[in-house]
Amino acid sequence: MKVEVISLFPEFVEQVVKVGIPRKALDCGALQFNARDLRNYSDGADRRVDDRPYGGGPGMVMEPGPLSDAIAAAKTAIGSSAKVIAMSPQGIPMTQALMKALSAEPGLILICGRYEGLDERVTPQIDLEVSLGDFVLSGGELAAMVLVDAVARLLPGVLGHEGSAEADSFSAGLLDHPHYTRPPLWRDAPVPDVLLSGDHAKIARWRLKQALGATFLKRPDLIEKLDLSRTHAELLREFLSEHSGEKNQASK
Ligand code: SAH
């Protein structure tokens, strides 16, 4: 996948591919990444890309000209079929399903706003607005970096078998099961016996039960969206009878 990020702070955005899984995605060729400096498309010698809002009021607005030229240049670099995404608090929320869908795209062009946002007239050049959540950031860079991280780990060949994304939270509409590593006994807390049993069917059943239980306790809204099979409902009942003293975290 080819990703272009258009920003006033390209050196900040680049940090996302400097470490960890996104770096690995870059190194193995699954991801091609470029941060494009919007100031290079300023039409003035002062490299400004913002101006005062018509109608008055506080703040500045990003001019349509430089943005449009930067999008065109990004398309020339990675192909005109690339999806143009504006980072915006008004966009659709980032979810694992969205990340999965975006990871199948050949190219993404992410636009990071600053100030009060983009001049409305660039809207026809934007395919999608995406939000990090219902709060306002000072710029789109962190949201774009989050998107790149979440998408990079889903690209084919990036996560090894043992790091498969399929068991992660949200992949099957459930949160992930708990994880344990050595030592087997730590400060009087043992690792659950089943995980040491070597019985893979039993381990899979236990993990699914824990995933159902964790989702029920922490994110009841996710459980409500699922059409639980009889086996899943039975496992959840079993979990709840084993954890009858625990409170629903959402109601705390
Ligand atoms: N006046 C705008 C907010 C501008 S904030 C409004 O209220 O809708 C400046 C920039 O930060 C935005 O253009 C956007 O690119 C980015 N941004 C702010 N909050 C964001 C969020 N929740 N998700 C993604 N990007 C966001």
Side-chain angles (χ1 to χ4, degrees):
M1 161 180 283
K2 297 177 178 170
V3 176
E4 283 265 344
V5 182
I6 297 171
S7 164
L8 290 174
F9 302 101
E11 67 293 342
F12 174 37
V13 177
E14 273 163 10
Q15 299 308 313
V16 69
V17 291
K18 293 274 162 75
V19 296
I21 299 289
R23 166 71 177 268
K24 190 178 163 212
L26 204 66
D27 290 347
C28 77
L31 177 68
Q32 192 180 306
F33 181 89
N34 180 48
R36 196 169 283 273
D37 190 345
L38 183 60
R39 289 201 193 281
N40 292 342
Y41 302 88
S42 164
D43 32 27
D46 54 2
R47 290 172 59 80
R48 275 184 76 135
V49 293
D50 60 304
D51 211 334
R52 292 187 306 271
Y54 276 117
M60 301 297 272
V61 177
M62 294 175 82
E63 297 166 6
L67 276 168
S68 178
D69 290 349
I71 295 170
K75 285 196 167 178
T76 303
I78 66 168
S80 56
S81 63
K83 221 183 185 83
V84 181
I85 301 179
M87 311 319 300
S88 166
Q90 304 182 18
I92 57 167
M94 291 192 196
T95 59
Q96 189 65 12
L98 176 66
M99 299 305 181
K100 181 94 189 146
L102 294 178
S103 71
E105 292 287 333
L108 301 176
I109 298 170
L110 310 180
I111 303 174
C112 306
R114 282 270 153 180
Y115 320 116
E116 290 304 315
L118 321 180
D119 186 301
E120 192 64 24
R121 291 166 293 178
V122 293
T123 306
Q125 297 178 42
I126 289 163
D127 298 314
L128 192 66
E129 287 183 312
V130 171
S131 169
L132 186 56
D134 288 346
F135 42 80
V136 179
L137 297 163
S138 55
E141 285 77 11
L142 287 169
M145 290 159 83
V146 167
L147 194 154
V148 169
D149 183 297
V151 166
R153 61 194 295 287
L154 295 175
L155 297 175
V158 173
L159 290 188
H161 175 65
E162 67 277 26
S164 158
E166 271 137 48
D168 281 337
S169 293
F170 311 112
S171 284
L174 293 174
L175 300 181
D176 198 3
H177 57 76
H179 300 271
Y180 294 86
T181 185
R182 279 183 281 192
L185 184 67
W186 182 73
R187 295 190 181 169
D188 293 337
V191 170
D193 282 341
V194 57
L195 297 179
L196 309 173
S197 70
D199 183 334
H200 293 292
K202 253 174 135 176
I203 292 171
R205 185 179 184 280
W206 181 86
R207 286 182 166 162
L208 177 58
K209 181 167 74 177
Q210 301 303 316
L212 284 159
T215 312
F216 181 87
L217 293 175
K218 297 179 185 176
R219 291 290 304 272
D221 57 309
L222 293 180
I223 284 282
E224 273 161 29
K225 280 190 217 150
L226 289 175
D227 192 13
L228 288 188
S229 70
R230 199 185 287 190
T231 328
H232 285 198
E234 184 49 48
L235 275 176
L236 179 56
R237 261 194 298 277
E238 197 176 304
F239 176 93
L240 292 174
S241 69
E242 290 164 5
H243 297 76
S244 50
E246 286 174 31
K247 282 193 76 183
N248 182 337
Q249 295 199 1
S251 65
K252 270 185 205 161

